[in-house]
Amino acid sequence: AQSVTQLGSHVSVSEGALVLLRCNYSSSVPPYLFWYVQYPNQGLQLLLKYTTGATLVKGINGFEAEFKKSETSFHLTKPSAHMSDAAEYFCAVTPNNAGNMLTFGGGTRLMVKP
Amino acid sequence: DAGITQSPRHKVTETGTPVTLRCHQTENHRYMYWYRQDPGHGLRLIHYSYGVKDTDKGEVSDGYSVSRSKTEDFLLTLESATSSQTSVYFCAISISGGAGEQFFGPGTRLTVL
């Protein structure tokens, strides 16, 4: 079985500041990892994913995440926050042999102050 | 755009009434999923389907049933709605042979009074 923990249900940053959203997972087999973003009143949109290979993955809108196996983490970062980044972010995991079954974290709401 | 639509987008109903939500996809993907989203819980899987007439339960399936008679449609039914089923419901698809990422519909906001 797998699980996902997102530390901090709400994160507030100033415009232009570093964004760091934390995700830790547990999985009995090597995982595939995902970050999704949800803007108000919309569905979830895939930001980025890690499957195999390079552990630093880049996504849309300037976001990136690093898979750290030793820390069982997949934190999401962006060097400089935009007002338009305000949204809810979800980390998700699937075992790489599980036929597409995702387990989601509880979500982190990012607020960006002017 | 994965071509996923959900209907209705909003619904208000009363306790004890049956409710059916529809998910429609245009690209004949094999895997389809129903989730509910509640504050602090992220998305929780209700039911999923891996083909026509092939469905299975997820984490929070009690009080819900599903049907898939055509590849493109996946229906979620609340046989007798309760206030605890007030939620936002999302349908998703995944692509066979992919890495497991799912693509989501716009959601249905259901309120049970």
Side-chain angles (χ1 to χ4, degrees):
Chain A
Q2 61 269 10
S3 65
V4 178
T5 302
Q6 292 183 238
L7 291 175
S9 58
H10 292 80
V11 170
S12 181
V13 301
S14 297
E15 192 173 20
L18 171 72
V19 175
L20 170 61
L21 304 183
R22 299 178 186 273
C23 172
N24 289 87
Y25 70 91
S26 68
S27 179
S28 55
V29 299
Y32 292 162
L33 295 154
F34 308 88
W35 276 98
Y36 285 85
V37 60
Q38 184 183 31
Y39 299 104
N41 299 313
Q42 295 187 25
L44 277 70
Q45 178 182 359
L46 183 66
L47 261 184
L48 51 77
K49 64 182 180 184
Y50 168 78
T51 55
T52 57
T55 56
L56 181 64
V57 293
K58 297 185 184 298
I60 61 172
N61 301 337
F63 284 92
E64 61 184 34
E66 187 171 11
F67 170 58
K68 292 187 176 180
K69 183 179 179 180
S70 61
E71 298 177 8
T72 60
S73 69
F74 190 56
H75 301 330
L76 182 71
T77 60
K78 182 174 180 177
S80 176
H82 266 236
M83 297 296 292
S84 60
D85 294 327
E88 190 152 22
Y89 293 80
F90 294 93
C91 182
V93 63
T94 184
N96 65 7
N97 60 359
N100 304 346
M101 300 300 292
L102 287 181
T103 299
F104 286 85
T108 297
R109 184 167 299 278
L110 176 67
M111 294 166 283
V112 182
K113 299 175 290 186
Chain B
D1 184 359
I4 305 167
T5 58
Q6 293 184 232
S7 59
R9 294 292 314 280
H10 301 270
K11 186 171 182 66
V12 179
T13 191
E14 294 189 350
T15 297
T17 60
V19 176
T20 295
L21 309 182
R22 179 179 182 243
C23 177
H24 178 80
Q25 57 145 329
T26 59
E27 299 183 4
N28 292 322
H29 294 299
R30 179 181 173 192
Y31 294 94
M32 298 184 76
Y33 309 82
W34 276 108
Y35 291 90
R36 60 178 290 172
Q37 182 181 24
D38 304 289
H41 291 277
L43 274 75
R44 292 180 291 175
L45 183 65
I46 305 171
H47 281 280
Y48 64 99
S49 171
Y50 43 95
V52 173
K53 299 191 189 306
D54 291 324
T55 65
D56 208 344
K57 297 179 180 180
E59 177 188 358
V60 290
S61 59
D62 286 349
Y64 302 94
S65 62
V66 290
S67 65
R68 192 165 178 204
S69 58
K70 298 185 290 184
T71 300
E72 59 265 37
D73 289 326
F74 192 31
L75 304 181
L76 176 71
T77 297
L78 292 66
E79 301 290 349
S80 177
T82 68
S83 58
S84 65
Q85 294 175 311
T86 293
S87 188
V88 181
Y89 291 86
F90 286 99
C91 174
I93 61 96
S94 63
I95 299 170
S96 298
E101 64 266 46
Q102 296 177 10
F103 300 91
F104 287 80
T108 294
R109 184 173 296 276
L110 176 67
T111 302
V112 184
L113 302 176

